[in-house]
Amino acid sequence: QVQLVESGGGLVQAGGSLKLSCAASGVTLKFNIMRWWRQAPGKQRELVAAINSDGSTHYADSVKGRFTISRGNAQNIIYLQMNSLKHEDTAVYYCNGFGIESLQGPYDYWGQGTQVSVSS
């Protein structure tokens, strides 16, 4: 059974850095697109960053220049390097993988989230 597990969250002061990791376990699948999302209390979930299989990336305007999404050497592992963190970055961060490589049809998996808290 495929699982995505996030790690690396924590509590930091404004201006600090954190690096989140998302690793797949269980049956190996190729994710064509992997994304980081976040959701703060009382707010809707928002897309933070995405990376395609060709390495192209997308970032929310609010994190451009501060966050970097990347793929690891191991299959279906991604990272989110977060620098110059702001209080408004406080949220639960979720990893999401989407793929079309299975004969059974498209697949879409989510991690359970990791808390990032930034003190002002």
Side-chain angles (χ1 to χ4, degrees), residues 36-57:
W36 285 100
W37 303 75
R38 68 185 181 187
Q39 186 167 26
K43 296 184 177 180
Q44 294 184 342
R45 183 183 61 193
E46 65 173 337
L47 178 64
V48 176
I51 185 167
N52 296 321
S53 58
D54 64 358
S56 61
T57 58

Side-chain angles (χ1 to χ4, degrees), residues 9-61:
L11 174 64
V12 298
Q13 293 186 356
S17 298
L18 284 174
K19 187 174 184 178
L20 306 183
S21 300
C22 173
S25 63
V27 179
T28 301
L29 293 173
K30 180 180 179 180
F31 293 108
N32 302 94
I33 303 172
M34 298 195 77
R35 308 178 180 96
W36 285 100
W37 303 75
R38 68 185 181 187
Q39 186 167 26
K43 296 184 177 180
Q44 294 184 342
R45 183 183 61 193
E46 65 173 337
L47 178 64
V48 176
I51 185 167
N52 296 321
S53 58
D54 64 358
S56 61
T57 58
H58 166 81
Y59 298 95
D61 289 339

Side-chain angles (χ1 to χ4, degrees), residues 87-106:
H87 179 65
E88 62 195 68
D89 294 319
T90 295
V92 177
Y93 284 70
Y94 297 92
C95 176
N96 163 234
F98 173 81
I100 56 173
E101 302 298 326
S102 174
L103 294 176
Q104 302 177 51

Side-chain angles (χ1 to χ4, degrees), residues 38 59 61-68 81-86 88-89:
R38 68 185 181 187
Y59 298 95
D61 289 339
S62 60
V63 306
K64 285 182 179 178
R66 300 189 297 119
F67 291 10
T68 302
Q81 178 65 52
M82 305 183 293
N83 298 325
S84 301
L85 283 163
K86 305 174 181 179
E88 62 195 68
D89 294 319

